[in-house]
Amino acid sequence: MAALIEARRLLAARYLKGEGLEIGAMHCPVVVPPDVKVIYADYKSKEESIRRHPELDPTQMVDVDLIMNGETLDQIPDGSLGFVIANHMLEHCEDFVRVLKNFYRVLKPEGILFIALPDKRYTFDYRRSLTPYEHIVEEHRSGPLPNRYKHYVDYHTLVSELALGKLDSETSVRDLPHLDIHFHVWDQAGMVRLMNDLRSEFDLSYEIECYMKNGIEGIFILRKTEVEVYDRAKPLTALRS
């Protein structure tokens, strides 16, 4: 754990400046330089996190500045932040692309996305099948509800005893609230392809400044740019013109 935290600190020292947001930091916030200001956001208060997680040291829990939906960031103005930190959060989101777009929306030009995704090979997800890139795209375009039941059953079967109650069909999942599970899982190759290909698929102008394998996770440093993203569909002659 100490090595994981130290690697995050070194990346923060290199790439984070000004004022930004960390979502769901709980007991493990990224250590930032003294001149960097972090606003801590979560969907629950510090007290609620302590109550839900008695196994964690309560003295390490951050004070939550904004209780809000970290997927929509609807309280954050467009282009207002120097960075957004989201560690081990995006795998909990059914619509990965929508959340990434919202992160991108609130960043200033040249702002930084600091994202850590767990590598399923080293976590409790190790028995689960990798999430294909095409699945992430399809869930954004068609909505996540049609696949929700399958995600719950997959997690229940291969990870833990999920309390599904009397759920016995795909249609009855509509009456089930959103459960906090890992909806999607990747290994290193899958997460790198995901971050690379989403740029051109959804016209997100960001550069992958850095990727670091960090124990059980992969960390991405993405910089919002105004540079046109390389379109694989264009012939090289068109790119030269």
Side-chain angles (χ1 to χ4, degrees):
M1 187 66 174
L4 182 147
I5 292 172
E6 176 63 9
R8 292 180 182 181
R9 184 192 70 80
L10 291 172
L11 288 175
R14 171 68 177 82
Y15 291 105
L16 300 188
K17 298 178 181 178
E19 181 178 72
L21 186 76
E22 181 165 6
I23 304 168
M26 290 183 56
H27 67 299
C28 193
V30 173
V31 179
V32 300
D35 59 341
V36 171
K37 180 180 178 181
V38 182
I39 301 167
Y40 294 105
D42 208 324
Y43 70 90
K44 58 188 182 302
S45 67
K46 174 182 178 179
E47 292 71 26
E48 179 67 9
S49 290
I50 292 172
R51 187 185 69 80
R52 291 192 189 189
H53 300 280
E55 74 281 6
L56 301 178
D57 183 352
T59 65
Q60 298 300 312
M61 289 286 186
V62 299
D63 292 320
V64 177
D65 301 301
L66 291 174
I67 297 178
M68 62 182 297
N69 186 331
E71 296 188 19
T72 63
L73 300 183
D74 49 9
Q75 297 180 38
I76 308 298
D78 294 1
S80 62
L81 298 176
F83 59 87
V84 173
I85 304 170
N87 293 327
H88 294 243
M89 179 241 181
L90 281 163
E91 66 275 12
H92 293 271
C93 303
E94 291 184 274
D95 189 343
F96 184 104
V97 177
R98 179 184 69 126
V99 180
L100 187 65
K101 285 181 174 181
N102 283 324
F103 290 174
Y104 184 89
R105 172 183 62 79
V106 302
L107 283 179
K108 298 176 180 179
E110 301 299 315
I112 291 291
L113 290 180
F114 186 118
I115 294 171
L117 297 175
D119 187 321
K120 75 114 182 179
R121 296 173 296 175
Y122 313 119
T123 74
F124 52 72
D125 289 317
Y126 70 95
R127 293 192 296 165
R128 300 175 70 189
S129 298
L130 295 167
T131 301
Y133 172 78
E134 294 75 15
H135 176 90
I136 296 294
V137 172
E138 184 265 332
E139 283 205 321
H140 177 64
R141 290 180 170 155
S142 302
L145 189 58
N147 291 320
R148 184 178 291 174
Y149 176 82
K150 295 177 182 177
H151 287 307
Y152 286 164
V153 170
D154 179 62
Y155 189 89
H156 170 71
T157 303
L158 298 175
V159 178
S160 72
E161 293 298 320
L162 185 65
L164 293 177
K166 295 183 179 180
L167 185 66
D168 57 5
S169 72
E170 295 193 21
T171 54
S172 61
V173 77
R174 297 176 184 274
D175 300 321
L176 192 69
H178 177 109
L179 299 179
D180 189 14
I181 68 169
H182 289 186
F183 285 96
H184 308 114
V185 297
W186 305 273
D187 60 6
Q188 183 183 69
M191 65 178 73
V192 170
R193 181 196 173 190
L194 178 72
M195 290 303 189
N196 188 60
D197 288 0
L198 285 178
R199 294 185 299 173
S200 55
E201 189 90 36
F202 294 100
D203 296 323
L204 294 169
S205 295
Y206 60 74
E207 292 293 323
I208 301 176
E209 293 271 329
C210 177
Y211 170 80
M212 175 184 283
K213 176 175 165 48
N214 184 34
I216 68 167
E217 67 187 15
I219 301 177
F220 290 88
I221 304 296
L222 310 178
R223 185 182 300 279
K224 182 177 181 177
T225 70
E226 302 301 327
V227 179
E228 181 180 0
V229 175
Y230 168 59
D231 186 344
R232 290 164 295 143
K234 289 182 180 180
L236 291 178
T237 52
L239 292 174
R240 296 192 194 103
S241 62

